[in-house]
């Protein structure tokens, strides 16, 4: 509950007036907001929190693409093979590529195979055109 109260305080400090608060239905935010007397409308719902999480993930994916295309990190990209983040705790954890086992993938890059992907219906016509 301390984390929920701290996040609320940081949000108020950052944006001033809060119009509405949406939290996961399984969270303790309603208890925290009652304890501090928060007066903003508060809805516990999956739909809005899922939308926020999806938007955040899309944003992070775009930043990852930009970071790999135009290396601007202070560290090497191989240190960021997997990113795990928590919106509630405002934490991020990174897993480097070296933590994953490598295996030969015989199915990788089979697009040049004839017929395409080994599917007869995707093969070239008999006349070769």
């Amino acid at each position: 509950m301390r984390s929920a109260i701290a996040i609320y305080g940081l949000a108020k400090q950052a944006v001033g007036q809060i119009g509405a608060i949406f939290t996961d239905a399984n969270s303790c935010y309603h208890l925290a907001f009652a304890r501090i007397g928060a007066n903003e409308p508060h809805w516990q719902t999956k739909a809005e929190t899922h939308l926020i999480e999806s938007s955040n993930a899309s944003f992070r994916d775009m930043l990852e693409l930009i970071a790999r295309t135009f290396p601007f990190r202070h560290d090497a990209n191989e240190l960021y093979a997997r990113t795990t983040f928590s919106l509630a705790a405002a934490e991020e954890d990174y897993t480097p590529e070296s933590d994953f086992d490598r295996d030969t993938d015989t199915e990788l890059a089979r697009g040049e195979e004839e017929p395409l992907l080994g599917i007869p219906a995707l093969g070239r016509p008999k006349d070769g055109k």
Side-chain angles (χ1 to χ4, degrees), residues 1 10 20 23 32 45 59-60 63 65 95 102 107 113 115 119 128:
M1 216 170 358
L10 290 171
T23 61
T45 175
F59 181 70
R60 288 174 185 278
L63 286 177
L65 173 68
T95 307
R102 294 181 187 245
E107 301 296 313
E113 196 175 86
I119 302 171

Side-chain angles (χ1 to χ4, degrees), residues 66-119:
I66 292 169
R68 290 181 177 274
T69 306
F70 307 100
F72 61 83
R73 291 184 175 129
H74 295 290
D75 300 319
N77 280 330
E78 351 3 286
L79 299 176
Y80 299 90
R82 177 185 292 161
T83 302
T84 307
F85 63 92
S86 168
L87 293 176
E91 296 174 346
E92 293 183 8
D93 293 312
Y94 303 101
T95 307
E97 291 176 12
S98 60
D99 281 8
F100 296 94
D101 293 331
R102 294 181 187 245
D103 192 12
T104 57
D105 188 351
T106 59
E107 301 296 313
L108 183 65
R110 288 185 53 204
E112 286 294 318
E113 196 175 86
E114 183 60 38
L116 182 63
L117 301 174
I119 302 171

Side-chain angles (χ1 to χ4, degrees), residues 12-46:
K12 288 286 278 191
Q13 186 178 28
V15 299
Q17 184 175 348
I18 298 173
I21 301 170
F22 298 95
T23 61
D24 192 307
N26 298 324
S27 70
C28 67
Y29 283 96
H30 67 287
L31 298 172
F33 297 152
R35 179 175 286 179
I36 63 173
N39 58 2
E40 291 86 1
H42 174 224
W43 289 279
Q44 290 182 287
T45 175
K46 266 295 198 208

